[in-house]
Amino acid sequence: MVLTLILLMRYERGLAYFGKKTIRRRFPRLYKKLEKWTGSMSHGIASMRSRRGILTIGFYSLLVWLFHIGICIMLIRAFGLKAPFWAGAVVVMINSFLLLIPVSPGNLGSFQITVIGALSLFDVSHAEAAAFSIVLHFMDYAPVFAIGFIMLTTNQLFFQKLRQETVLEAQQQEGAN
């Protein structure tokens, strides 16, 4: 992933030229979607070209990891598991590295297996570890969904409005062709 990021940063102009010359002619719809996605991606990559950008991203990444470890430690205490204090960090690290490649939507199942395996290192029973993994998985996704829902409503984005805009955009594209 790091190598891909470095290549994207190094050859950004060449990739854009290739896309315009090759993909745009053959697949105009795909090109428009790729252009939006790559624009967003290149904006994110550009933020990593400065020392301040790297420090900011590093700080927030570290903060997310610490919060996740904190949640895991609190859940270990809440479940009354006989695991040491640092077991939360071990569970988070093992889980994060084993789930770099998602195998199922939302890592459902594979998340539980890795957490159960990590907790087995601390002699936690499979039943307790399975219950723990379900609650931990919920704790991972619940705040993201809640914040997303709040942002949708505060920005007055509703599914009906998005659907209408999509239909209108499709009609405009058909009219242009």
Side-chain angles (χ1 to χ4, degrees), residues 25-144:
R25 284 188 219 150
R26 295 181 185 165
F27 310 104
R29 282 186 177 174
L30 174 65
Y31 177 74
K32 283 188 177 192
K33 289 180 183 181
L34 284 174
E35 188 177 37
K36 285 181 185 179
W37 181 78
T38 55
S40 174
M41 179 90 162
S42 65
H43 181 70
I45 291 172
S47 68
M48 292 180 55
R49 292 181 193 240
S50 69
R51 182 176 294 173
R52 182 178 181 190
I54 291 172
L55 289 174
T56 302
I57 290 169
F59 170 75
Y60 285 121
S61 296
L62 182 65
L63 195 63
V64 166
W65 274 75
L66 290 174
F67 276 127
H68 190 63
I69 290 169
I71 288 170
C72 198
I73 290 169
M74 284 189 266
L75 280 176
I76 287 172
R77 297 292 174 235
F79 272 76
L81 302 178
K82 307 275 190 283
F85 179 77
W86 48 273
V90 171
V91 169
V92 169
M93 284 187 247
I94 290 174
N95 200 18
S96 296
F97 288 117
L98 290 177
L99 296 176
L100 281 174
I101 301 173
V103 266
S104 63
N107 288 321
L108 192 59
S110 53
F111 182 93
Q112 281 70 30
I113 290 170
T114 56
V115 171
I116 291 168
L119 286 174
S120 70
L121 297 173
F122 302 102
D123 295 326
V124 175
S125 72
H126 287 306
E128 287 178 321
F132 176 87
S133 70
I134 291 169
V135 174
L136 181 61
H137 206 182
F138 175 77
M139 295 295 290
D140 282 348
Y141 282 103
V144 174

